[in-house]
Amino acid sequence: MTPEERDRLARLEQRVEGLDAWMKSINTKLDEVRTAAHMGAGAWWIILRLGAVVVAISAVFAWLFDRWPHK
């Protein structure tokens, strides 16, 4: 192995070690984003269900108003 090849290999090993720490930080951030998304998904389903209940109640009142005799 020539000195140039050895130097290139040493630089490559240093970069790979740096990538390992970088990948760990990305995984940590990804876990935080995933946790936040799961929290938001629960809130989304609650809002969606409440909206469906409001629409159903509104439809019942509209039907009753339509059937109520007007003078």
Side-chain angles (χ1 to χ4, degrees):
M1 180 181 308
T2 65
E4 292 83 20
E5 291 173 337
R6 189 182 62 232
D7 291 341
R8 284 180 50 203
L9 183 59
R11 285 194 305 268
L12 181 61
E13 287 175 348
Q14 287 176 347
R15 290 186 75 183
V16 168
E17 288 175 6
L19 288 176
D20 187 40
W22 182 62
M23 291 295 288
K24 285 180 183 177
S25 72
I26 287 177
N27 283 337
T28 303
K29 291 175 186 175
L30 180 62
D31 288 339
E32 292 174 5
V33 169
R34 188 177 296 141
T35 302
H38 285 296
M39 284 185 204
W44 169 252
W45 282 111
I46 289 171
I47 290 170
L48 191 64
R49 288 178 183 171
L50 286 175
V53 169
V54 168
V55 167
I57 291 171
S58 299
V60 168
F61 281 123
W63 182 80
L64 287 173
F65 182 76
D66 185 49
R67 299 293 179 194
W68 195 269
H70 299 287
K71 291 185 180 184

